[in-house]
């Protein structure tokens, strides 16, 4: 039977013109003296599959570490979050790790509503369907949108909320964008609400660089895939073999700096932008930053956004942290 379940509602707020936004973004990034592309363009179907493969690599510890923390400590996290009625998850995807939190909320007797926020309508639908089957009585209010821009669409509050932003994705934001993003989250939090944030932690260079430059070359393929995305979406003619993957830890900035290095002097055309771009031999173009945090650093970042640390949960090796934050007024 294919009826719409009464406990599921899904709202779609996608930008009418994401293609125009991408064109604008890429033109700007490739016209700058230091070329740069935004990491959100990695994730077409192939890129999303490659990222899934990355999460299973021996060298890439963050996903495993985060899953371990959620598997071991969700009851504690839920209690420290004040037994929230609603779990809002930014970038929910298939909600693989979320089930630990939902189960802990159910077991604590507080679970009422799950609000997945994701850019894929299909995945949000499928996830909602699976979850109402797995958690009898659960209401799912999905939002299909780019959460960097439509945070304020999150529905009205009924009971306290836990807003989860997992996976370490906040590491992709530069300090300015991060400050703005956290300030907007802070603005959504009411007394009793909490933010649950996943962050990778500072550690020795060797392990960080290995995590972003695996021996099997999956991350290199993932990185170069952004060029295939531009070829398809913008009529570009990047030769993927004419670039190599570069992943360096910038200890001063506290972040992985991920780039593509042009192996030769070359010109690339982007037909849809009517743009030609020149690369010098050895020139590097940034495709992603992935910031690494410390507890003190994160406390300072929270403070700037009017937030205070309300819980700190790491894996046994302290490679990765889930932190709880609340508004301090
Ligand atoms: C999805 C942004 C958390 O920064 O570790 C993994 C992306 N890039 N390997 C990260 C990524 C290369 C990942 N995030």
């Amino acid at each position: 039977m294919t009826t719409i379940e009464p406990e599921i509602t899904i709202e779609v707020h996608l930008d009418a013109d994401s293609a125009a936004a991408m064109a604008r973004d890429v033109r700007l990034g490739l016209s700058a003296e230091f070329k740069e592309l935004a990491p959100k363009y990695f994730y077409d179907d192939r890129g999303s599959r490659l990222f899934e493969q990355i999460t299973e690599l021996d060298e890439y510890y963050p996903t495993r570490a985060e899953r371990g923390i959620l598997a071991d400590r969700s009851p504690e996290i839920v209690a420290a979050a004040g037994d929230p009625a609603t779990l809002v998850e930014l970038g929910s995807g298939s909600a693989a790790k979320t089930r630990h939190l939902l189960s802990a909320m159910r077991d604590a007797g507080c679970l009422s509503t799950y609000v997945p926020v994701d850019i894929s309508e299909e995945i949000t639908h499928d996830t909602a369907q699976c979850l109402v089957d797995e958690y009898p009585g659960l209401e799912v209010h999905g939002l299909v949108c780019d959460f960097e821009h439509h945070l304020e669409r999150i529905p009205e509050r009924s009971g306290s909320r836990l807003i989860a932003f997992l996976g370490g994705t906040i590491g992709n934001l530069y300090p300015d964008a991060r400050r703005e993003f956290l300030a907007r989250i802070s603005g959504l939090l009411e007394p009793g609400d909490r933010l649950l944030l996943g962050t990778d932690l500072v550690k020795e260079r060797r392990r960080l660089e290995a995590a972003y430059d695996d021996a099997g070359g999956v991350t290199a393929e993932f990185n170069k895939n952004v060029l295939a995305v531009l070829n398809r979406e913008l009529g570009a003619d990047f030769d993927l073999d004419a670039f190599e993957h570069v992943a360096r830890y910038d200890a001063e900035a506290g972040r992985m700096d991920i780039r593509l290095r042009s192996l030769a002097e070359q010109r690339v055309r982007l037909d849809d932008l009517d743009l030609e771009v020149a690369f010098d031999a050895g020139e590097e173009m940034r495709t992603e930053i992935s910031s690494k945090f410390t507890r003190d650093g994160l406390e300072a970042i929270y403070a700037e956004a009017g937030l205070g640390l309300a819980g700190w949960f790491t894996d046994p090796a302290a490679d990765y942290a889930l932190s709880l934050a609340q508004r301090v007024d």
Side-chain angles (χ1 to χ4, degrees), residues 43 51 54 60 167-169 172 212 219 222 288 290:
Y43 301 94
F51 180 66
I54 287 174
Y60 193 77
T169 308
N172 275 165
Y212 291 86
T219 309
F222 170 76
E288 181 175 38
S290 184

Side-chain angles (χ1 to χ4, degrees), residues 8-289:
I8 298 177
T9 53
I10 291 179
E11 276 177 57
V12 182
H13 302 282
L14 281 181
D15 279 337
D17 226 339
S18 61
M22 176 184 195
R24 216 174 34 235
D25 239 36
V26 171
R27 177 188 299 282
L28 218 68
L30 293 183
S31 306
E33 168 114 45
F34 174 56
K35 299 182 182 69
E36 181 155 9
L37 296 171
K40 66 178 163 201
Y41 301 124
F42 284 136
Y43 301 94
D44 65 347
D45 286 344
R46 178 159 183 272
S48 300
R49 272 203 308 279
L50 285 167
F51 180 66
E52 283 300 311
Q53 283 184 44
I54 287 174
T55 65
E56 288 160 18
L57 294 170
D58 285 341
E59 296 96 328
Y60 193 77
Y61 57 84
T63 310
R64 260 190 310 277
E66 186 179 64
R67 198 187 304 120
I69 301 167
L70 288 169
D72 295 345
R73 309 192 61 187
S74 281
E76 266 178 87
I77 293 170
V78 165
D83 289 340
T86 298
L87 175 64
V88 178
E89 185 175 19
L90 307 179
S92 43
S94 63
K97 295 174 279 195
T98 320
R99 285 176 171 77
H100 295 295
L101 289 170
L102 290 172
S103 296
M105 288 165 70
R106 175 198 56 206
D107 296 347
C110 58
L111 177 63
S112 150
T113 308
Y114 176 55
V115 180
V117 184
D118 199 271
I119 37 168
S120 166
E121 183 169 1
E122 197 186 335
I123 291 176
T124 303
H125 253 286
D126 294 352
T127 303
Q129 188 59 60
C130 289
L131 290 175
V132 295
D133 292 342
E134 281 172 52
Y135 297 90
L138 179 69
E139 296 241 5
V140 179
H141 187 144
L143 286 181
V144 177
C145 66
D146 178 347
F147 57 77
E148 240 199 283
H149 301 117
H150 296 97
L151 270 182
E152 21 297 299
R153 305 281 187 174
I154 291 168
E156 281 299 290
R157 180 174 187 276
S158 61
S160 70
R161 301 189 295 195
L162 179 59
I163 300 184
F165 188 35
L166 305 177
T169 308
I170 193 154
N172 275 165
L173 300 182
Y174 282 106
D176 283 350
R178 182 175 67 209
R179 201 174 296 120
E180 194 191 313
F181 178 70
L182 286 175
R184 287 172 64 206
I185 299 225
S186 174
L188 289 176
L189 296 181
E190 290 180 42
D193 292 349
R194 300 282 190 284
L195 167 66
L196 180 67
L197 185 68
T199 48
D200 195 12
L201 299 177
V202 169
K203 57 185 57 63
E204 44 174 332
R205 169 184 302 276
R206 201 161 36 86
R207 288 189 60 215
L208 284 169
E209 291 185 345
Y212 291 86
D213 192 8
D214 58 289
V218 181
T219 309
E221 260 195 82
F222 170 76
N223 192 10
K224 288 187 191 189
N225 182 61
V226 74
L227 302 180
V229 170
L230 302 194
N231 285 350
R232 187 184 60 241
E233 299 297 325
L234 298 174
D237 64 356
F238 280 100
D239 173 3
L240 275 61
D241 295 326
F243 289 85
E244 67 180 349
H245 172 64
V246 178
R248 270 190 307 259
Y249 183 54
D250 176 344
E252 202 171 321
R255 64 195 184 204
M256 285 301 303
D257 191 340
I258 296 156
R259 301 179 178 194
L260 287 169
R261 181 190 290 137
S262 175
L263 292 171
E265 184 180 339
Q266 54 179 320
R267 301 184 78 79
V268 175
R269 254 206 78 74
L270 293 94
D271 277 338
D272 300 5
L273 301 184
D274 197 20
L275 179 70
E276 198 165 84
V277 181
F279 287 88
D280 292 331
E283 179 177 344
E284 294 179 3
M285 166 171 69
R286 181 179 285 150
T287 51
E288 181 175 38
I289 57 163

